[in-house]
């Protein structure tokens, strides 16, 4: 069921709009929270919401910090590169496994070279970074799609161990 | 949420109370860099015990503050980085290069005292 609700449509090569529409088209339960990201203050709200949801799922305090930090980086990318967008938080299931899904979506200018953006050092050593390789390490699953001048969607998941 | 800055002898102590927005962090930076001159402080302690998340911007801004304080002729030490935060920083690959850190406020003060004695700056 979890896979149906969260189809693995996000591939680095997938059309951003197709991916985005599928995300928005999925059924929304009361376990989905959408946080609009318009300014740096929304970053704090998004990560606090995510931490709250993750805490209910039973993640350890270390995982809560990793999740909140990931949300912070993803929301920051939206503010830096697209100005506005949203963070969609939801719970996911896969058999016995439960986890948290975080989708960061924007309609910004897109990432011209995703492979490069996923390389270490592209982000962290520069003052304005995407932080994507870091987020990839903090979470269990990571998918990204981006289209120039259409936007970027990053979808990450972490499972309760 | 503005960070209160307390004067403790030759030192300034900035005690972060809750999650900070980017704007708050930039404000803290400007306030500390200005206050160090105004109050002729020899050292600065930034207490991040209350921070549950330090992302790339927060880490970079704290590193900038430490370097700016040093350029102003004082020393800075960051205290209270939580174990989970330290873990996340390492995983993210974020480094606080050239920035002094200490376990807590007490250790931070001891660190600054040692620095002052070494450089003969203590007054």
């Amino acid at each position: 069921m979890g896979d149906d609700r969260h189809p693995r449509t996000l591939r680095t090569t997938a059309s951003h709009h197709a991916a985005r529409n599928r995300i928005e088209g999925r059924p929304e339960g009361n376990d989905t929270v959408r946080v609009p990201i318009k300014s740096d203050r929304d970053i704090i709200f998004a990560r606090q919401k995510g931490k709250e949801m993750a805490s209910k799922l039973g993640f350890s305090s270390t995982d809560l910090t990793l999740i909140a930090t990931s949300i912070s980086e993803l929301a920051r990318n939206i503010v830096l590169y697209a100005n506005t967008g949203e963070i969609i938080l939801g719970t996911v299931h896969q058999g016995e496994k439960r986890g948290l899904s975080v989708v960061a979506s924007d309609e910004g200018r897109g990432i011209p070279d995703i492979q490069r953006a996923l390389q270490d050092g592209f982000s962290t050593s520069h003052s304005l970074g995407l932080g994507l390789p870091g987020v990839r390490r903090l979470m269990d699953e990571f998918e990204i799609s981006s289209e120039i001048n259409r936007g970027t969607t990053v979808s990450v998941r972490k499972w309760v161990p | 949420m503005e960070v209160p800055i307390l004067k403790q002898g030759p030192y300034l102590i900035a005690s972060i109370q809750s999650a900070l927005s980017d704007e708050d962090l930039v404000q803290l930076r400007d306030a500390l860099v200005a206050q160090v001159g105004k109050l002729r402080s020899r050292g600065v302690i930034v207490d991040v015990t209350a921070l549950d998340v330090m992302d790339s911007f927060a880490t970079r801004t704290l590193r900038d503050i430490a370097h700016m304080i040093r350029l102003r002729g004082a020393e800075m030490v960051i205290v209270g980085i939580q174990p989970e935060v330290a873990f996340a920083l390492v995983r993210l690959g974020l480094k606080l290069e050239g920035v002094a850190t200490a376990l807590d406020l007490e250790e931070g003060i001891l660190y600054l005292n040692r620095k002052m004695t070494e450089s003969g700056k203590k007054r």
Side-chain angles (χ1 to χ4, degrees):
Chain A
M1 143 201 183
D3 270 348
D4 291 336
R5 286 192 54 205
H6 299 270
R8 291 166 172 271
T9 51
L10 296 184
R11 291 285 178 259
T12 53
T13 50
S15 147
H16 167 68
H17 260 255
R20 188 185 160 85
N21 288 341
R22 259 167 284 180
I23 287 162
E24 286 181 343
R26 78 187 181 209
E28 276 192 34
N30 49 11
D31 58 350
T32 301
V33 176
R34 307 175 85 100
V35 183
I37 304 295
K38 294 191 184 77
S39 78
D40 64 289
R41 290 194 178 268
D42 299 323
I43 299 175
I44 298 175
F45 184 70
R47 73 182 185 220
Q48 281 169 349
K49 267 283 165 222
K51 207 174 175 183
E52 218 172 85
M53 282 181 84
S55 170
K56 280 182 194 152
L57 282 165
F59 281 103
S60 70
S61 68
T62 300
D63 281 343
L64 292 183
T65 301
L66 298 185
I67 289 165
T69 308
S70 301
I71 295 172
S72 205
E73 294 298 322
L74 294 176
R76 177 167 307 290
N77 282 347
I78 293 175
V79 173
L80 281 176
Y81 299 105
N83 295 323
T84 62
E86 66 176 345
I87 297 279
I88 307 159
L89 304 159
T91 52
V92 282
H93 305 269
Q94 204 175 70
E96 294 288 287
K97 283 200 299 181
R98 285 175 312 148
L100 184 81
S101 146
V102 181
V103 177
S105 184
D106 68 61
E107 296 182 342
R109 56 184 126 119
I111 303 170
D113 189 347
I114 290 181
Q115 291 312 320
R116 188 161 168 251
L118 293 177
Q119 269 167 28
D120 250 328
F122 177 68
S123 53
T124 44
S125 62
H126 296 90
S127 53
L128 293 178
L130 295 162
L132 292 176
V135 172
R136 206 177 187 180
R137 280 196 297 273
L138 298 189
M139 303 296 277
D140 294 331
E141 288 174 29
F142 180 101
E143 290 161 61
I144 182 169
S145 74
S146 190
E147 226 180 301
I148 298 298
N149 295 326
R150 287 288 179 91
T152 302
T153 297
V154 182
S155 174
V156 297
R157 257 167 254 170
K158 197 166 189 73
W159 300 103
V160 181
Chain B
M1 173 137 199
E2 222 169 290
V3 179
I5 300 173
L6 307 171
K7 186 179 185 298
Q8 178 78 44
Y11 306 142
L12 293 178
I13 301 173
S15 188
I16 296 172
Q17 310 285 323
S18 66
L20 297 182
S21 69
D22 298 359
E23 204 182 309
D24 298 330
L25 273 163
V26 169
Q27 237 167 49
L28 173 66
R29 181 193 70 198
D30 296 347
L32 279 176
V33 173
Q35 293 279 38
V36 151
K38 211 187 222 167
L39 300 170
R40 310 191 73 78
S41 301
R42 295 300 189 183
V44 173
I45 298 173
V46 177
D47 188 350
V48 299
T49 307
L51 282 190
D52 63 342
V53 172
M54 274 173 67
D55 69 358
S56 54
F57 184 83
T59 308
R60 193 172 65 241
T61 308
L62 286 171
R63 194 176 58 204
D64 287 353
I65 295 173
H67 292 163
M68 287 166 80
I69 295 296
R70 191 169 299 145
L71 288 170
R72 296 279 277 152
E75 287 290 335
M76 182 173 122
V77 57
I78 295 173
V79 304
I81 295 179
Q82 295 302 295
E84 293 87 359
V85 173
F87 185 63
L89 286 182
V90 171
R91 277 281 188 94
L92 271 176
L94 293 173
K95 295 185 184 98
L96 280 167
E97 290 136 333
V99 179
T101 53
L103 185 66
D104 53 20
L105 196 55
E106 198 182 333
E107 290 290 327
I109 289 170
L110 288 175
Y111 170 85
L112 287 180
N113 284 345
R114 265 198 317 272
K115 277 279 171 189
M116 299 308 113
T117 315
E118 275 169 25
S119 59
K121 276 181 182 171
K122 190 157 187 179
R123 316 185 262 193

